[in-house]
Amino acid sequence: MDVDIEDILAELNTDSTAVDYSGNNNPLSDIANTNVSTLYNSSYPDDKNIPTNKNPPGVRSNTKISAEQDYSSLMTLWRNERCSPELLPYPHHLMSRMLMRIQDQLERLEIISMDFMGQNSNTIDNSNKPINNNNMLPLLCMEAELERIKFIIRSYIRCRLSKIDKFSLYLRQIEQDSNLKSLDDLLSKDEMIYYQRHSEMILKLFNDTTLKHLPPELQAINDTTGTISMIDEPDWNKFVFIKVIGPNDKMLNSDPLLKKDSNNKFFYEVIIPELEEDVELFIDSIYVMRYNVIKNLLLDGKVILI
Amino acid sequence: MGYYDIDDMLTEGSEVPCKFLQDIPGLGYLENNPGKPIKANAKLMLPYWLAHILAAIDSIPLSEDSMAVDEEEEAVPFLEMSTPESFSQRVINAIKTDPKSLDLHSINPHFYELAIKWCAIYSAKDLAKVVSDLLLQRSQDINNFAYSMSTTNKNIDSIGSMSNNTDIKPHNLLASSSFLMTLDELEKQIYRTSHESYKDSKRWMFQNK
C-alpha cells in the first residue's frame, strides 16, 4: 500500500525559522506598507555584499528582500518597460534600494582597492614574491557586476525618459483628470522634474515660433476636438510577445484567475474585446497578444514581456 | 497614426476625386479661379484632409449664413467623395490576381494608410479584406528579401550603412531592388526594420565584435 508522505516530508524540509513565503513578495508591485527606512534595515542583512549574516535566523524579517531578488525583478521591469507601449509605474522602493546598494558597493570597492594599494607598496618594499591570498579577481568581478547593474538602470531610465517625451501631453491629461491614477505613482521625482521642465520648454518653443501667429482658437497644443487628436496616446492595441509565468508565489491553486483545463494545465482566460474571442493563456507558454488584453496580468506580474 | 506622424500627413495629402453638392460662393480658388463661386456638381481633386471633413459635415450650419440656407439643403454634405484611383476596381482586380508582383508604389506611395482611413469612414469590409490579404501575401516576400542577405562575413560590414536597402550579392541585387521599388512606404518601413534586425543578429552571431 502506498502512503503518500510528500506533505509530511515537505513540512520537515521547510525550516521552522525560514522566510515566510506567503507574504507580499510580488516583485512587480512594491511593498507599499513598509517605508524606505525599514526596508533599508530589513534588506541590509540579506545584502550579498555583507559576507556573514549577523542576525540570528529567528529575527529575520518576514518580507523576502534580497539583492538577488531585487536584481531579477529589476531585469523583469526593464524588459517590460522596453517592450510595452505605455509608461509603466515607477518602482519607488526597488529603485531606492538598488541605488543605495550601488552607493554602498562603490564605497566598498574603494576601500578594498585602497587595501590593495597598501599591500602593493608593502610588497614592493619587501620582495617580489606574488601574493596568493590577495588576488585581484574578486575586485574585478565586483567592478564588472557594478557596471552591469548600472547599465541596466541607465537603460531603464533612458527608456522611460523617451516615453515621457513621447506621451508628455497624455501625461498632462492624466494629471488634470483627478479620477485617474496620480502621476506620483507613475513617475519618480526626477522624472517628474524632467517632465515638467521639458514640456515647458517644448511649449515655449512652439509658442514662440509658430503658435503665436495662429488665430487664438488654433493655439491650443492639446486640442482633441479637431479632426485629429493632438494628444498621442499609447498604442493600447500594440502586439507584444508575452510569456505566462503564473503567480509569483507558485501557489497555482490560490490564484482566483487561474483555471484548469481537461489536461490539468493551468491557464488564464482573457477576452479580446474587438473579436469577442476568449483566449486561454497557458502557464509557461509564449504568445503574441494585444497589450490591452494582458495589461492587468502584466501589472500583477503574472505575465512578462519578452 | 499620431498627430506629428510625418507619414500620416503625407498620406492625408494625397488627392481624392470629389463632387460638390452645393453652390458655395468664394471657394473658386479650389478650381484655380479665385473670386468665383463653386458650382454644384463641380468635380475636382481635393486632398484627403480637406475632403473627408467636408464630406462628413452636413447638418452643421455655417454661423454667418445659417439664415440664408434652407432647412432641406442643410442635410446635404458639402461634397461627395468618389472612390479614388487607388481603390478602383481595376486595382482591386490586380491585387486579387497577383499581390506579389503588384507595383504598389506607383499606385500610391501611401496605399495602406489611405486604405485604412478609407475603410474607417466608409466601413468598406470588402476593401478591408482585400487589403489585409494583400499585406499578408506581400509580407512573406518582404520577409524573404529582408532575410536574404549575404552571410559571408566580409560583406556584412559593407552593408552596414542602411542608406542602400539593396542586397550586396550581384545576382540578388536586380531581383531585390526591383522588388523594393514596388513597396509602399509602410512596407518599406517594415522591410527596413526587419532587415536591420536580421542583419544585426547575423553580425552578432558570426562576428565577434
Side-chain angles (χ1 to χ4, degrees):
Chain A
M1 189 176 109
D2 281 347
V3 180
D4 191 7
I5 57 165
E6 287 275 306
D7 289 357
I8 304 166
L9 284 179
E11 214 159 277
L12 285 175
N13 277 336
T14 48
D15 192 38
S16 58
T17 57
V19 184
D20 181 9
Y21 283 94
S22 64
N24 190 351
N25 48 13
N26 183 348
L28 297 183
S29 78
D30 256 340
I31 297 100
N33 48 6
T34 41
N35 60 32
V36 183
S37 64
T38 60
L39 286 179
Y40 185 94
N41 292 333
S42 63
S43 70
Y44 211 74
D46 287 342
D47 202 314
K48 67 178 172 196
N49 303 330
I50 295 185
T52 55
N53 195 346
K54 287 167 201 143
N55 290 15
V59 293
R60 246 157 97 185
S61 67
N62 274 351
T63 46
K64 195 179 96 183
I65 295 169
S66 66
E68 210 182 334
Q69 176 79 30
D70 278 354
Y71 177 69
S72 67
S73 50
L74 180 68
M75 288 296 277
T76 315
L77 282 169
W78 177 52
R79 273 194 299 257
N80 288 352
E81 190 71 59
R82 304 255 319 173
C83 301
S84 78
E86 71 159 337
L87 190 68
L88 295 170
Y90 182 80
H92 290 275
H93 295 305
L94 177 72
M95 283 304 269
S96 64
R97 285 201 300 268
M98 288 310 280
L99 293 177
M100 194 182 66
R101 283 200 194 103
I102 288 177
Q103 194 66 37
D104 283 358
Q105 190 75 341
L106 264 178
E107 282 165 13
R108 190 165 293 114
L109 263 175
E110 245 166 57
I111 292 168
I112 292 174
S113 52
M114 260 154 59
D115 280 359
F116 268 107
M117 300 261 278
Q119 286 276 346
N120 283 344
S121 58
N122 284 345
T123 47
I124 288 165
D125 286 346
N126 296 335
S127 64
N128 285 335
K129 72 176 179 186
I131 334 147
N132 288 331
N133 52 347
N134 253 340
N135 58 2
M136 296 286 277
L137 188 62
L139 194 65
L140 289 177
C141 290
M142 284 164 90
E143 274 175 2
E145 184 68 22
L146 200 60
E147 285 306 313
R148 276 174 52 193
I149 294 175
K150 270 156 77 181
F151 171 80
I152 305 287
I153 291 180
R154 262 191 218 126
S155 165
Y156 179 62
I157 290 175
R158 268 167 194 279
C159 172
R160 290 180 61 88
L161 288 184
S162 77
K163 281 189 189 174
I164 292 173
D165 282 357
K166 206 167 150 194
F167 300 132
S168 61
L169 290 171
Y170 174 69
L171 289 175
R172 174 178 304 229
Q173 200 185 26
I174 292 180
E175 201 178 14
Q176 283 161 357
D177 259 357
S178 52
N179 51 358
L180 286 165
K181 59 198 163 189
S182 75
L183 273 189
D184 299 331
D185 298 343
L186 211 58
L187 302 178
S188 71
K189 278 203 188 87
D190 294 332
E191 284 166 350
M192 200 75 178
I193 296 166
Y194 172 82
Y195 153 68
Q196 277 160 351
R197 300 260 323 266
H198 182 261
S199 49
E200 263 171 40
M201 276 150 68
I202 291 278
L203 193 63
K204 191 167 183 303
L205 175 73
F206 282 176
N207 264 329
D208 289 354
T209 51
T210 48
L211 288 179
K212 68 176 180 190
H213 303 297
L214 294 178
E217 65 268 21
L218 296 180
Q219 276 180 3
I221 200 175
N222 51 0
D223 186 11
T224 51
T225 53
T227 43
I228 314 170
S229 169
M230 289 179 83
I231 297 179
D232 278 342
E233 273 198 43
D235 180 9
W236 298 111
N237 277 328
K238 188 189 173 195
F239 279 98
V240 286
F241 283 86
I242 59 167
K243 179 159 196 266
V244 187
I245 53 171
N248 299 103
D249 45 7
K250 299 294 168 216
M251 311 274 261
L252 295 179
N253 288 315
S254 64
D255 194 336
L257 293 170
L258 270 179
K259 291 177 185 168
K260 230 178 198 181
D261 76 338
S262 51
N263 295 331
N264 255 358
K265 281 182 177 168
F266 286 97
F267 64 87
Y268 293 102
E269 197 175 58
V270 292
I271 300 168
I272 303 171
E274 286 93 351
L275 308 174
E276 292 182 353
E277 191 178 301
D278 294 352
V279 184
E280 295 163 355
L281 302 176
F282 285 97
I283 290 211
D284 285 338
S285 35
I286 291 173
Y287 298 88
V288 185
M289 190 56 68
R290 284 176 194 275
Y291 181 74
N292 60 353
V293 175
I294 52 107
K295 185 171 180 253
N296 286 330
L297 289 176
L298 179 74
L299 291 179
D300 289 344
K302 285 164 184 159
V303 300
I304 56 171
L305 303 184
I306 48 178
Chain B
M1 282 184 262
Y3 184 77
Y4 297 102
D5 188 349
I6 194 96
D7 274 321
D8 192 38
M9 294 181 205
L10 291 173
T11 311
E12 300 223 324
S14 49
E15 292 189 327
V16 176
C18 298
K19 191 175 85 175
F20 273 84
L21 300 177
Q22 296 180 20
D23 287 346
I24 303 163
L27 267 186
Y29 62 88
L30 291 176
E31 275 185 316
N32 286 333
N33 47 353
K36 296 202 177 119
I38 211 160
K39 288 274 191 301
N41 292 328
K43 284 185 183 154
L44 59 153
M45 302 287 283
L46 287 184
Y48 176 83
W49 58 266
L50 182 62
H52 89 280
I53 192 76
L54 288 182
I57 297 174
D58 44 9
S59 57
I60 304 166
L62 293 174
S63 54
E64 309 98 61
D65 53 4
S66 57
M67 296 296 141
V69 183
D70 297 349
E71 286 295 311
E72 302 93 66
E73 272 188 338
E74 278 176 29
V76 183
F78 289 115
L79 52 79
E80 191 181 69
M81 282 197 279
S82 42
T83 318
E85 180 69 11
S86 322
F87 310 126
S88 63
Q89 197 56 46
R90 193 173 57 83
V91 176
I92 301 288
N93 287 339
I95 291 172
K96 279 181 184 159
T97 33
D98 193 0
K100 292 185 180 177
S101 65
L102 191 70
D103 188 358
L104 215 50
H105 194 268
S106 69
I107 295 171
N108 190 335
H110 299 92
F111 182 83
Y112 288 107
E113 295 200 44
L114 193 62
I116 290 169
K117 288 173 189 296
W118 195 261
C119 293
I121 44 175
Y122 287 110
S123 45
K125 276 193 181 158
D126 304 339
L127 181 63
K129 175 121 183 46
V130 168
V131 172
S132 65
D133 278 352
L134 171 73
L135 184 59
L136 264 182
Q137 293 276 330
R138 284 171 76 89
S139 61
Q140 293 170 0
D141 261 21
I142 294 172
N143 185 41
N144 286 343
F145 278 106
Y147 183 74
S148 69
M149 183 188 41
S150 59
T151 39
T152 50
N153 290 350
K154 61 178 187 289
N155 280 338
I156 290 178
D157 259 349
S158 51
I159 33 171
S161 62
M162 271 312 289
S163 53
N164 49 345
N165 286 337
T166 48
D167 269 328
I168 204 74
K169 271 189 180 174
H171 64 269
N172 271 348
L173 187 67
L174 202 66
S176 68
S177 68
S178 67
F179 174 72
L180 287 179
M181 298 308 273
T182 69
L183 293 182
D184 102 319
E185 291 298 323
L186 180 79
E187 291 173 327
K188 270 187 189 158
Q189 215 172 336
I190 297 171
Y191 173 79
R192 209 169 293 143
T193 30
S194 62
H195 185 71
E196 285 269 281
S197 65
Y198 275 129
K199 198 184 65 184
D200 284 347
S201 55
K202 267 182 190 163
R203 177 179 289 170
W204 180 74
M205 277 192 289
F206 297 122
Q207 260 176 332
N208 297 322
K209 55 173 172 174

